[in-house]
Amino acid sequence: MHFVVNGDAVDIDFDPRTSLLDLLREHLHVFGPKKGCNQGACGACTVLVDGVRINSCLALAVQYQGRELTTVEGLGAPGALHPLQAAFIEHDGFQCGYCTPGQICSAIGMVDELKRGVPSYVSEDVAAEIFDLTPDELRERMSGNLCRCGAYNGIVDAILETFGEANAEPGKREAA
């Protein structure tokens, strides 16, 4: 089967019952996504598939043949970090670091959802074309990613610093 993982084409044979998380970690040795709960409740396994965030522990790898898979390793590199990775460091958005790759991938996917006009439970006007990234909106959209160390304030600060104005495109906001 063929995949594009962090920009690299990969052809691999594996048991079709293999989860996407296990394919990444056990077969391709991409260790950013973590196996936390293995039930889709903690978000430690969050990756981007064609820019959309998913819990890789719940996905069968065969479902994503030919798709572009991005993990935290594909977002930046030592000396050339993604701005959100740098902001996590600056704002102490991690302690043990176990959830951090999933948090970062989830935040990047969340910003794309905002730009596409996907509402959340706390969105005031679900018919709006675009949504403001308020602290409440951010917390709701990131609620599927747990941090056992409690670094939430640093996580929120890092995301707001990096993407706080990402959704404020002139002419695309409806009056609230």
Side-chain angles (χ1 to χ4, degrees), residues 46 53 84 88 102-112 142 145 159 163:
T46 305
R53 60 184 171 163
L84 185 57
F88 261 69
Q103 295 272 3
I104 290 172
C105 286
S106 188
I108 290 170
M110 174 205 57
V111 169
D112 184 60
M142 293 295 293
N145 290 80
I159 294 169
F163 298 118

Side-chain angles (χ1 to χ4, degrees), residues 5-108:
V5 180
N6 296 326
D8 296 326
V10 176
D11 290 302
I12 186 168
D13 289 323
F14 55 91
D15 185 322
R17 298 169 292 179
T18 304
S19 73
L20 183 56
L21 177 61
D22 288 342
L23 175 73
L24 291 167
R25 292 183 60 80
E26 296 175 16
H27 297 278
L28 300 177
H29 307 291
V30 177
F31 298 115
K34 303 292 190 285
K35 188 175 281 193
C37 66
N38 210 30
Q39 298 176 17
C42 73
C45 67
T46 305
V47 299
L48 301 169
V49 178
D50 296 333
V52 176
R53 60 184 171 163
I54 68 162
N55 290 326
S56 62
C57 73
L58 297 179
L60 289 175
V62 297
Q63 295 174 276
Y64 297 95
Q65 292 181 73
R67 310 276 295 276
E68 188 165 331
L69 311 175
T70 305
T71 68
V72 72
E73 292 92 343
L75 298 174
L81 295 177
H82 183 282
L84 185 57
Q85 291 171 316
F88 261 69
I89 293 168
E90 180 182 330
H91 291 281
D92 293 325
F94 60 92
Q95 286 182 26
C96 78
Y98 196 83
C99 73
T100 305
Q103 295 272 3
I104 290 172
C105 286
S106 188
I108 290 170

